[in-house]
Amino acid sequence: MTKQTPDLLESAPATDSRDRKWWLWLAVPAASGIALGLAWWVLAPGGLNLVSGNHALADPTDSDGRLPRDLVLAGLCLLAGCFTAILLDARIRKPGQGARVILAVVGGLVGALVAWQVGLLSAQWWGPAANGSDGFSLRATAALLLWPGATALVSFLLTLFGLMGRQPEEQRDAP
């Protein structure tokens, strides 16, 4: 009688399935930048202007609409960063947490850049023609750092609060 040895490839799917999905933490935030860019153009002054509804700010060349336009993108990036960090928090106990956070931060940066470019492209396609002026643009490019920054900060805080609530190993084992 020969004893059959288990195939090494059959025991690998548990770790392989975990390793196969690493790219999603980079790709999903980057791809969601498309929706964020469209939302920026729809909500911001100079675009469809659904947030304020003020017709005076509807002109993309008006300098009064620059700050609200930048703030709309900044708020959307901040919201997306917090949402990404909350999704990361659900996977905090699984191995590879550091790699997921780094990939999500890089994905957030790429997503913010994609959102910026999609918003500008939407303004060119569907907005009024800009004649020699800035038109629909982003003046405060530092707003693009809010998505990865919020992801990193909120992930850190959620991890810190999770670790503060744990009891040390020695106290759990004591009678």
Side-chain angles (χ1 to χ4, degrees):
M1 294 182 121
T2 60
K3 183 178 176 185
Q4 291 184 345
T5 58
D7 189 16
L8 293 177
L9 295 177
E10 290 180 12
S11 62
T15 59
D16 190 30
S17 66
R18 180 188 62 197
D19 293 336
R20 248 185 294 158
K21 296 182 182 179
W22 65 268
W23 59 273
L24 287 174
W25 291 105
L26 180 64
V28 171
S32 63
I34 296 171
L36 203 74
L38 289 172
W40 176 45
W41 184 74
V42 166
L43 297 174
L48 288 183
N49 198 20
L50 292 182
V51 168
S52 70
N54 187 354
H55 296 292
L57 296 176
D59 183 20
T61 60
D62 187 17
S63 62
D64 290 339
R66 289 179 182 161
L67 178 64
R69 185 180 314 129
D70 291 354
L71 289 176
V72 168
L73 182 61
L76 289 171
C77 286
L78 186 65
L79 184 66
C82 292
F83 183 71
T84 304
I86 289 171
L87 287 177
L88 280 170
D89 187 51
R91 301 219 175 257
I92 202 163
R93 305 258 190 261
K94 295 187 178 183
Q97 172 194 4
R100 283 190 303 273
V101 171
I102 289 172
L103 288 171
V105 167
V106 171
L109 180 62
V110 173
L113 291 171
V114 167
W116 175 34
Q117 293 303 311
V118 166
L120 295 179
L121 187 64
S122 299
Q124 286 179 354
W125 282 352
W126 300 306
N131 46 358
S133 173
D134 285 339
F136 189 86
S137 64
L138 178 67
R139 302 289 284 188
T141 55
L144 300 175
L145 296 176
L146 284 174
W147 190 341
T151 301
L153 180 66
V154 174
S155 294
F156 171 73
L157 291 175
L158 289 174
T159 303
L160 183 66
F161 292 147
L163 291 175
M164 287 173 49
R166 282 189 182 169
Q167 292 181 353
E169 295 289 328
E170 300 151 0
Q171 289 182 358
R172 272 193 260 160
D173 296 335

